[in-house]
Amino acid sequence: MVQTTPFLLVLSLALVAPSFSAKKCVLTGRWINDLGSNMTIGAVNGRGDFAGSYHTAVTATTNKIRVSPLQGSQHNTNQNSQPTFGFTVNWSFSDAVTVFTGQCFVDETGKEVLKTMWLLRSRVDNIKDDWKATMVGINVFTRLHSQKE
């Protein structure tokens, strides 16, 4: 019995230690997606709300692309280090709105990744054109580090 106690102690530490060192995924900061679009997410308040800006690299309009505001919310992270979230981008240069939903992950190398799905709703002139007004897609965002980092 005396020899089993040290083994059990070491085993329990090995099982518990990874949770102490697990990196928390944080939404706040600058991100770039697989298409080259950039977004900045500001501080997340106590209710999980946040605001920021989105600069898309792609558009279906001929209008000049401008930075657009975003508003969102994340699930409370007190018990979860990889939170779910959602945000809306109100495009400054078109009559469209996009909603994103996703989860913030820390991959096996410790890199933060946002896996998202989105719906983009464009304005149409007639209800008969409603069928072509909504597009759906996915984007993967990674943290955009400054030159100083």
Side-chain angles (χ1 to χ4, degrees):
M1 178 72 176
V2 176
Q3 294 173 341
T4 354
T5 305
F7 171 76
L8 291 175
L9 179 61
V10 170
L11 178 61
S12 64
L13 285 174
L15 294 173
V16 174
S19 64
F20 289 125
S21 63
K23 184 176 177 186
K24 186 175 182 178
C25 194
V26 178
L27 286 179
T28 301
R30 296 174 55 225
W31 299 88
I32 187 167
N33 72 16
D34 43 318
L35 297 175
S37 298
N38 291 282
M39 73 174 166
T40 301
I41 296 177
V44 179
N45 71 20
R47 293 188 323 251
D49 301 328
F50 59 87
S53 60
Y54 198 104
H55 189 226
T56 187
V58 296
T59 183
T61 74
T62 57
N63 299 340
K64 182 180 179 192
I65 294 173
R66 295 192 322 243
V67 175
S68 300
L70 69 80
Q71 294 284 327
S73 183
Q74 81 168 19
H75 191 267
N76 188 336
T77 61
N78 287 344
Q79 299 159 353
N80 187 351
S81 62
Q82 300 190 117
T84 56
F85 62 89
F87 61 88
T88 301
V89 178
N90 185 4
W91 300 109
S92 299
F93 57 90
S94 71
D95 293 334
V97 163
T98 302
V99 292
F100 288 79
T101 187
Q103 187 168 354
C104 189
F105 290 101
V106 177
D107 71 11
E108 59 280 347
T109 66
K111 186 167 105 177
E112 294 168 296
V113 177
L114 306 181
K115 298 281 281 187
T116 67
M117 177 171 264
W118 52 263
L119 290 171
L120 180 143
R121 176 64 189 213
S122 298
R123 188 187 66 78
V124 291
D125 293 325
N126 188 305
I127 196 168
K128 293 177 185 175
D129 291 330
D130 183 62
W131 65 272
K132 64 180 180 180
T134 303
M135 296 189 323
V136 62
I138 59 171
N139 284 124
V140 177
F141 291 84
T142 55
R143 188 164 297 282
L144 188 59
H145 296 285
S146 68
Q147 297 293 335
K148 296 176 187 177
E149 295 178 55

